[in-house]
Amino acid sequence: MLDFCNHLDENKNRILKQTALLADDLGYKIYLVGGTVRDIILNKEPLDIDLVLEGNALEFARILQRCLGGELKTHEQFLTATINWPDFSLDLISARKEIYKSYGSLPEISLGNITDDLKRRDFTINAMAVYLMDGKLLDPFGGIDDLKKGLVRILHKNSFKEDPTRILRAARYLARLKFKLEKSTYKEIKKAKVYLTDVSSSRKKNEFIKIANEKGGLKALKLLEGWGVLPYILPGVKLKKINKSFMDYFNVNIGLKEKWLILLMAIYWQTADQLQDILKVRFDLTNKEKQCLEWLINNKALLLRLTKSDIKLSFLNIHRLLYNTPPEIEVFLLWLLGEKRKLYLKEIKMARQQIKLPLSGKDLLEQGVPPGPMVGELLSALEDQILLGKISSRDEALKWLETRLEN
Ligand code: CTP
């Protein structure tokens, strides 16, 4: 029935065949679309499967999940659903028309057919569909031709103005697929880049995360820099300063979840004239993420010393850098240390552990310390003494306190 699916691994193939038959039984037309079609044509195994249904995808997804199992997530507002299995997921979208009332904001959506759905898409290479029942390819914008030529091309000239995040997507595809930008598409990027100012911080963040998670992420960012787009995403950085091996550590050692944040810090650390410019990044940051960026700025002097080849920081300083910080800070520090990483591994591990103090605040009050800020100051000084190895027991701590109070 469906030669197209034979490119896929056995499990995906089986699920798609069952999906096609069920849709047909229920009188729905269902299509493979977008990146899934593109990747299959390029002979790459797609990570996820995108399907468009002419009709209400939510209703169909509920029935499909009862037949095939998996975990169903629905997005009622957008009439979309996802079924997740441990090794892949299936995205089901109701075929739709999109109308942009103003540039840069989200479009108004209404139900449509597969042609409407392909028309609303970003690039010709992503605007193809395969009818799941007979494997027939729909390619109204010449996607196959552009795949062969290795070109990223928009479908119409307002595409980037309507959705400026597509500029970032273009750079991502160019870097990933090693494609070129079609000439008039490039001209439209030049005209539309200012519209990125109006894009919400959460959409910018999402696109940056996707770029950071690509193997060729740095290449995509360099393309954006060449197009004059980077200041809208990462104000104040100059990627020219980054050396070739910069990404190696990120691609090998860092999990996807934290990669973008550490990469962001590393890029600003290595290339920004003013480290403070990192606070100009508009990414809808969580408190933890803000804490990381502020940590970078607040510890600049100590971090600079840490990277100097002839200096070895004390454990006390390492503890100060790491204590009570999110785990991303530790990963960033390991990147920053580079060759000196081995020198600090043990200390870094220990520095994150909480120090058990031999005296409590109550003990201090009993020893005559007046209530107030002095209690906290003394406890923190005591912690430093322990980290320096000068105090290791309660008796030593009491003696130290006595001397401090006398002075
Ligand atoms: N799309 C679009 N405009 C956007 C985002 C997405 O037209 N701003 C369309 C494209 O047709 C794209 C599809 O929606 O192929 C699915 O989006 P996404 O999952 O982000 O892209 P994929 O191509 O599936 O995946 P990837 O980018 O990771 O290859």
Side-chain angles (χ1 to χ4, degrees):
M1 161 180 69
L2 188 56
D3 290 346
F4 206 78
C5 292
N6 293 336
H7 291 70
L8 300 174
D9 73 34
E10 211 179 298
N11 192 26
K12 287 181 192 140
N13 199 343
R14 179 184 58 84
I15 284 183
L16 281 183
K17 282 185 175 160
Q18 287 173 329
T19 304
L21 289 173
L22 183 68
D24 198 53
D25 278 353
L26 296 171
Y28 286 120
K29 283 195 164 170
I30 193 162
Y31 302 84
L32 272 179
V33 283
T36 313
V37 176
R38 178 199 69 220
D39 286 346
I40 293 175
I41 295 171
L42 288 174
N43 244 332
K44 293 179 188 231
E45 186 73 28
L47 289 179
D48 301 317
I49 303 284
D50 291 335
L51 292 170
V52 163
L53 183 99
E54 287 182 341
N56 187 333
L58 284 180
E59 280 171 19
F60 178 69
R62 288 195 186 101
I63 304 170
L64 186 65
Q65 189 263 342
R66 281 203 290 275
C67 296
L68 297 179
E71 186 205 353
L72 176 71
K73 275 196 188 140
T74 56
H75 314 281
E76 309 279 335
Q77 190 193 349
F78 301 107
L79 288 180
T80 62
T82 305
I83 305 179
N84 290 305
W85 288 275
D87 50 341
F88 83 107
S89 62
L90 202 82
D91 281 325
L92 281 148
I93 300 168
S94 311
R96 68 193 45 193
K97 281 183 194 155
E98 282 182 354
I99 297 172
Y100 286 87
K101 285 263 157 88
S102 66
Y103 291 151
S105 56
L106 290 175
E108 268 181 21
I109 292 169
S110 59
L111 288 182
N113 58 27
I114 186 68
T115 314
D116 298 322
D117 200 276
L118 294 180
K119 258 189 212 163
R120 72 175 176 91
R121 289 173 182 267
D122 50 3
F123 306 114
T124 58
I125 57 169
N126 285 343
M128 293 179 275
V130 171
Y131 181 42
L132 213 48
M133 209 41 207
D134 61 8
K136 196 173 155 224
L137 180 77
L138 306 182
D139 179 17
F141 301 101
I144 288 275
D145 225 37
D146 284 339
L147 274 185
K148 280 186 195 149
K149 289 182 190 150
L151 286 180
V152 168
R153 181 199 307 266
I154 41 176
L155 307 191
H156 58 89
K157 73 178 182 29
N158 287 333
S159 182
F160 290 128
K161 288 179 190 149
E162 288 177 346
D163 180 354
T165 64
R166 288 176 172 167
I167 299 175
L168 313 184
R169 292 173 63 85
R172 192 157 57 83
Y173 290 126
L174 294 182
R176 187 203 297 171
L177 303 171
K178 303 191 171 61
F179 276 23
K180 293 215 155 51
L181 204 53
E182 180 270 329
K183 252 192 194 157
S184 63
T185 301
Y186 176 63
K187 279 190 194 150
E188 294 308 324
I189 287 183
K190 288 271 171 195
K191 286 187 217 160
K193 63 185 177 190
V194 290
Y195 291 90
L196 275 163
T197 323
D198 304 326
V199 170
S200 73
S201 48
S202 64
R203 293 187 74 204
K204 277 188 192 165
K205 181 183 180 183
N206 279 340
E207 291 302 331
F208 180 74
I209 293 175
K210 284 187 184 175
I211 290 176
N213 287 344
E214 294 271 342
K215 217 167 152 224
L218 186 60
K219 194 174 163 206
L221 292 175
K222 284 189 170 174
L223 284 168
L224 292 172
E225 182 170 52
W227 302 340
V229 169
L230 208 58
Y232 297 94
I233 314 297
L234 308 178
V237 305
K238 292 193 186 81
L239 295 176
K240 275 178 226 140
K241 291 187 187 173
I242 284 182
N243 60 30
K244 250 189 171 174
S245 62
F246 178 82
M247 283 304 282
D248 292 350
Y249 182 75
F250 297 91
N251 287 337
V252 177
N253 295 307
I254 304 181
L256 289 191
K257 221 172 140 212
E258 57 200 347
K259 193 170 165 184
W260 72 271
L261 182 59
I262 297 157
L263 188 67
L264 181 72
M265 292 164 73
I267 287 176
Y268 272 85
W269 178 264
Q270 206 161 82
T271 78
D273 287 336
Q274 301 289 330
L275 195 55
Q276 276 91 334
D277 281 349
I278 199 169
L279 298 181
K280 292 186 190 156
V281 171
R282 296 282 162 260
F283 272 178
D284 189 25
L285 300 171
T286 63
N287 285 341
K288 181 191 83 174
E289 290 156 6
K290 278 185 205 147
Q291 189 193 341
C292 288
L293 304 194
E294 277 155 16
W295 172 91
L296 185 69
I297 294 164
N298 295 338
N299 290 295
K300 184 179 170 187
L302 208 52
L303 291 171
L304 278 171
R305 284 180 55 208
L306 189 71
T307 52
K308 292 233 165 77
S309 58
D310 52 337
I311 296 179
K312 166 97 170 61
L313 284 194
S314 69
F315 178 57
L316 186 59
N317 278 326
I318 297 289
H319 180 76
R320 284 204 180 116
L321 274 176
L322 282 171
Y323 185 61
N324 240 340
T325 57
E328 282 82 355
I329 295 293
E330 183 179 332
V331 186
F332 172 79
L333 208 62
L334 288 171
W335 165 77
L336 185 73
L337 281 164
E339 299 282 292
K340 288 175 86 184
R341 206 167 291 143
K342 276 197 194 116
L343 199 65
Y344 285 101
L345 273 181
K346 214 169 124 201
E347 278 138 314
I348 286 177
K349 258 210 178 100
M350 279 166 57
R352 294 186 60 78
Q353 287 162 12
Q354 206 166 352
I355 305 293
K356 193 156 169 25
L357 296 180
L359 298 180
S360 66
K362 204 171 144 216
D363 290 330
L364 262 58
L365 295 175
E366 280 170 13
Q367 296 300 314
V369 177
M374 198 198 262
V375 177
E377 280 161 26
L378 279 168
L379 286 175
S380 146
L382 174 61
E383 187 178 271
D384 288 355
Q385 294 298 306
I386 293 167
L387 289 166
L388 288 168
K390 293 187 178 165
I391 292 176
S392 58
S393 69
R394 185 177 164 86
D395 281 351
E396 282 171 6
L398 284 169
K399 238 183 235 153
W400 167 84
L401 181 65
E402 206 179 314
T403 330
R404 284 291 294 247
L405 290 176
E406 276 168 15
N407 292 337

